[in-house]
Amino acid sequence: SCDFFFFQAEDGIRDFCLSRGLGDVYKRQVLSGKGGVGKSTVSSQLAFTLAKKGFNVGLLDVDICGPSIPKMLGLVGHEVHQSNEGWSPVYLEDNLAVMSIGFLLPSQDEAIVWRGPRKNGLIKQFLTDVTWGELDYLIIDTPPGTSDEHISIVSYLKPDQTKDGAIIVTTPQEVSLQDVRKELSFCKKTNTKILGVIENMSGFVCPHCTQTSEIFKATTGGAEKMCQDYQIPLLGKIPLDPNIMLSCEQGVSIAEKYPDSLPAKGYSSIVESLNQNFKSVSYTHLTLPTIYSVQISVVAVSLKKK
């Protein structure tokens, strides 16, 4: 049917990805119904946290038209180098490799005006021409929607139900939650397992009086209610915190700069959950509620146990 036409992955591309070592990496895809929920923030801070724990981490930015990862990792101005083996990713640390179209642009203000085939071609190059080396995790930061970039990733890598899956990022309010049904449908059609949900911007704790304010009020129950309805794990809640913005603007890890902050503790807890819980619910067996949608952002993570 038309629904599955684009998922007839090219075996040659998939085999080449395996030869690059990506076959042994556990992949987790984080999808996004809409923008603005903090997908790139979650991707970058998860990468920082995983690397700090000693994992070999790759962070792939496939948001072709709006790459934010170079800025959020403090790598603006860095360039990708090419060798006989292929493209070398930019290394922030010895165990944290990053690839983004942002490294290929002559200017950070340069617009990418591409149709689907050119986007697909670049993503194919990211997966086949980049020498990632030995990875434990591959985190894939994707743009909003369920279109070219998402289809390409799923098609080329073909998620393995025994080890691959998706991390979903949402904010508490209903305007964010309204698109989750489309994402669940996408994951079900592509046979992508979900690891769990992260509720971002979940309350604001005043740094002066420590009182919590629900700036984005969960009028329909937020991520917690959605997880109950869909029988999906809730990985954690990350509160609004000005230090997160400062960390992303400066390209640093909030866990290192503000280790005692609630967001830092939240990301650490989420990483522990990901390491311990590999038997998440599969969308192939998921019954979709008739009403309940969630705006989500997707990060694709690849994980390999140490």
Side-chain angles (χ1 to χ4, degrees), residues 32-271:
S32 178
K34 292 181 181 176
V37 297
K39 165 185 58 65
S40 296
T41 299
V42 170
S43 299
S44 59
Q45 293 302 320
L46 281 179
F48 276 129
T49 304
L50 288 165
K52 184 180 179 181
K53 291 181 179 293
F55 291 100
N56 293 320
V57 181
L59 177 53
L60 174 58
D61 183 2
V62 297
D63 191 342
I64 305 301
C65 295
S68 301
I69 292 302
K71 176 66 176 177
M72 291 188 173
L73 271 78
L75 296 174
V76 173
H78 286 250
E79 297 180 354
V80 172
H81 298 285
Q82 192 166 10
S83 66
N84 292 333
E85 296 182 352
W87 287 350
S88 297
V90 175
Y91 281 87
L92 181 63
E93 302 287 349
D94 290 341
N95 64 334
L96 179 51
V98 185
M99 177 56 73
S100 170
I101 192 176
F103 300 136
L104 308 175
L105 299 177
S107 167
Q108 291 300 308
D109 297 329
E110 191 77 18
I112 300 296
V113 188
W114 287 0
R115 294 186 184 273
R118 291 196 68 183
K119 292 182 180 180
N120 295 339
L122 182 62
I123 292 173
K124 185 186 298 184
Q125 281 190 282
F126 281 163
L127 295 174
T128 59
D129 291 357
V130 176
T131 55
W132 288 102
E134 293 295 327
L135 294 180
D136 298 311
Y137 281 82
L138 176 63
I139 301 176
I140 306 175
D141 183 29
T142 65
T146 56
S147 190
D148 298 300
E149 294 88 343
H150 313 85
I151 293 172
S152 295
I153 290 294
V154 172
S155 178
Y156 295 150
L157 291 180
K158 194 176 181 181
D160 185 336
Q161 278 287 318
T162 64
K163 59 184 180 180
D164 301 334
I167 298 173
I168 298 177
V169 182
T170 183
T171 49
Q173 72 273 35
E174 180 59 27
V175 71
S176 289
L177 299 174
Q178 65 184 355
D179 289 333
V180 71
R181 190 177 180 185
K182 300 179 183 68
E183 301 300 334
L184 296 179
S185 176
F186 175 84
C187 290
K188 184 175 182 180
K189 289 179 178 180
T190 57
N191 200 29
T192 301
K193 184 171 68 175
I194 190 166
L195 294 181
V197 176
I198 297 174
E199 185 175 83
N200 198 29
M201 309 181 198
S202 182
F204 170 74
V205 180
C206 177
H208 304 293
C209 67
T210 69
Q211 181 175 346
T212 300
S213 301
E214 301 298 331
I215 295 178
F216 299 113
K217 191 172 182 61
T219 56
T220 56
E224 189 167 354
K225 177 65 164 55
M226 184 271 291
C227 288
Q228 294 174 359
D229 290 346
Y230 285 86
Q231 299 181 358
I232 298 171
L234 179 62
L235 294 175
K237 298 182 179 182
I238 305 297
L240 277 168
D241 190 323
N243 290 329
I244 293 181
M245 183 277 292
L246 291 175
S247 297
C248 291
E249 289 283 294
Q250 297 168 8
V252 298
S253 166
I254 190 170
E256 291 189 2
K257 190 161 187 177
Y258 306 99
D260 296 326
S261 66
L262 290 177
K265 294 176 180 178
Y267 282 117
S268 180
S269 176
I270 289 169
V271 166

